[in-house]
Amino acid sequence: MSNSSNDFFKTQVLGHPAGLFVLFFTEMWERFSFYGMRALLVLFLVSSFGIGGWDWPRENALALYGTYIAMLYLTPIIGGYLADRFLGNRRAVILGAIIMTFGHASMAIESNPIFLYLGLLLLIIGTGFFKPNMISFLSILYKDFPEKKDGAFTIFYMGVNAGAFLGIMLCGYLGEVLGWSWGFGLAGIFMLLGLFQFVLAQKIFGDAGTTPNIINKTIEADNHVIIEDKSNPFTLVDKILVIIVAVFGLIWVINDPLQKVQKFNMLSIGGEDYSGHTIIITLCLFLFLLGSRIVRYSKITRDKMIAVVIFAFFIIFFWASFEQAGGSMSIFAKDYTNRILSGNSALIFNIVDVIITVVPIGIITYVLFLLLKQTFKQYIYSSLILGFSFILIWGLITFKVYNNFNTYSYEINYPTYQVSSVGDGGEETTKTIVVTASTPIPENAIVGQQTTIIRSTNNFILNDKISIIDIDKKGENFKYIPNEKAENIPTKISATIVKKRENEIQIPATWFLILNSLFIISLAPLFSKWWESKYNPNPAYKYAIGLFFLAIGFSFLAYGASGIMQGAKTAAVSMVWLIFAYLFHTMGELCVSPVGLSYVSKLVPPRMIAFMFGVWYLALAIGNKTSGKMGGMIDEITTKYDISTFFLIFTIVPIIIGIIALLLNPVLKKLMHGVK
């Protein structure tokens, strides 16, 4: 790619090509959609019918979540291959964005299971085309400028996290406050705007990525001489193994939620479950396929591919722990964290929330302003759509800030009854049951009242009669329901306003998910400076440091949860433990994720770049599905031991893998043949 063939390097923004920021904002809106939907999915599935949820058990919700995330990282192998051979990166990105837009639109009709499952399927397919090809497209644009590649990936990764920050904050907020369809629908709107913005700015990229990738069989030797690489076509055995691994791997991934939710096991033979046997055999076949192909490459290519595989091994364990953020850590935030603040604490939080909301968006808006100064005249329609997107963002932020400062807390009374029973050992127990509109009250029951706190933007007065719902059916977490909606809810509870509590708020459970993106936006420049300094560690050390940071984060959760009793389903520990966990997890991610993407692009031959990014995402898929499987054990481990033990497991495993990474450093340096 030469400078004369496109406009990519002709205009500069903050020292980088303006075209990089077109990709920055395209990826930002796609990540806005993905993380916005991800923030809501598990909470929506486990929330009660009365507030529009599906009332699923945690294990079922985390099984579906794990399968969805795993599939998102499996389909990029197919999308990368099709782009390399037939579509070209740019067409694949556009096709993926279109499919994902329809997926988000389907998700907005969340009350119908068919539309939610269809939406998840379309998002999985669309991501397969979009995700690997956006990154490989960036690699192609910088193929003649390798010295600029690390900086480009850092900027690009900040776009990823800017989108995640906005998506989690706004989709999560609308979903929890206004309704799930608002959150799911908002994700689709910005996916569509991102698609239009990218399509209408195509000329800035010239001809790059418009055709299938040219098969380039040259590689760079250790003495920096370009030599012809040995070809390695797929044999008949290779193709058969690919089909077997793909089919049985897919069956296993889909079977997990199918078995839990629908009680149907595709891998049950004669009443015995062969799920474990299936995945072990499939993984062994995949490792054999990968190994047999790698040994057939030339020595330099073979060594570099082995290095990528070792990095992928580290990635599996990193993401198996890190992705607890969308699963068990969301449940910990919802059920085990004290999210109620009052008095000065509430006021301080609202002010801090405004600052961490407005300042990052202000910085990104300034970047947009600089981009529009360079590109508005040449790409007017793309610029107008991008500007309109930010007008929407600022409008939503204004609504969120206003709503936060105008939400009131009320002390209410609601009816209950108590029933006593005698156990087998003669001990007497008393159980308190909430009285709903459909609850029959036994003759021997003792009728009474309980007091709780709700939050609402309505301005109620003393003795107002309202309807509430028990969100988790535990008699501990209630939500106000408007009268017109309450008429159709058989589990509504009649309540009476007792007192208005001034300046008290409840932090949404999804709010904690924005911390990861906020910390990345704040810390990425510092880590970038670290990588550019003389203290820049070797790749293996970066992975080890990242894994150690991850372990430290989980150690805060394990310590913070140490006072929670065995088997407890709810608690109210300090939110500071979650904040520290996200801080250290973010530092770990900065050591692993953008660095990994950069090394794959440097180590893999150009002719296999999109496909190998697909294989890289396969490692992420395994890690994410493992995350879902392990996260789904939260209730089992909490019941048998306690929730502190659950998080302690995620503390110990990364430490062990980090030590292995340190020990493999000399081997990796040799395998990388001078790539830094």
Side-chain angles (χ1 to χ4, degrees), residues 7 17 62 69 83 98 141 240 268 331 348 378 394 396 457 461 464 468 527 540 563 598 615 624 636 654 656 658 663:
D7 296 330
L62 291 170
I69 297 295
I98 292 171
L141 289 166
I240 293 173
S268 175
I331 289 174
I348 292 170
Q378 299 98 317
W394 279 107
L396 290 167
T457 55
I461 61 174
D464 270 355
I468 61 172
F527 277 78
S598 181
V615 173
N624 278 281
E636 180 182 343
I656 295 172
L663 296 176

Side-chain angles (χ1 to χ4, degrees), residues 489-617:
I489 301 175
T491 55
K492 68 179 179 182
I493 304 163
S494 297
T496 304
I497 300 292
V498 176
K499 180 182 178 182
K500 182 177 181 180
R501 291 193 172 187
E502 298 295 336
N503 200 20
E504 183 172 286
I505 63 170
Q506 181 179 44
I507 303 170
T510 53
W511 181 87
F512 294 94
L513 290 170
I514 73 170
L515 295 175
N516 173 241
S517 300
L518 176 67
F519 289 142
I520 281 183
I521 295 170
S522 305
L523 298 175
L526 298 178
F527 277 78
S528 181
K529 290 291 184 183
W530 183 10
W531 305 151
E532 294 171 5
S533 72
K534 64 180 180 180
Y535 301 106
N536 181 23
N538 292 325
Y541 289 161
K542 288 178 183 175
Y543 278 89
I545 293 169
L547 287 159
F548 292 151
F549 276 142
L550 189 68
I552 292 171
F554 277 111
S555 71
F556 279 110
L557 290 178
Y559 179 78
S562 58
I564 300 176
M565 301 296 292
Q566 177 181 348
K569 296 294 184 181
T570 59
V573 303
S574 171
M575 69 178 72
V576 70
W577 306 117
L578 264 177
I579 293 172
F580 276 127
Y582 277 111
L583 172 62
F584 281 92
H585 287 186
T586 299
M587 292 194 289
E589 183 184 3
L590 284 168
C591 292
V592 171
S593 193
V595 172
L597 293 173
S598 181
Y599 281 124
V600 171
S601 69
K602 293 176 181 178
L603 291 167
V604 173
R607 67 182 186 276
M608 298 184 291
I609 188 70
F611 175 74
M612 282 308 296
F613 270 122
V615 173
W616 182 257
Y617 284 121

Side-chain angles (χ1 to χ4, degrees), residues 65 173 277 316 446:
Y65 171 79
Y173 184 80
H277 303 79
I316 289 173
I446 302 173

Side-chain angles (χ1 to χ4, degrees), residues 35-87:
Y35 281 100
M37 193 282 289
R38 190 194 77 158
L40 292 174
L41 182 59
V42 171
L43 295 179
F44 162 72
L45 292 173
V46 300
S47 293
S48 64
F49 289 115
I51 57 171
W54 281 11
D55 207 16
W56 277 16
R58 295 171 178 172
E59 184 182 13
N60 294 8
L62 291 170
L64 180 62
Y65 171 79
T67 291
Y68 166 65
I69 297 295
M71 293 292 289
L72 285 177
Y73 291 114
L74 284 171
T75 51
I77 297 179
I78 301 172
Y81 176 81
L82 292 175
D84 279 344
R85 295 302 178 93
F86 306 108
L87 296 173

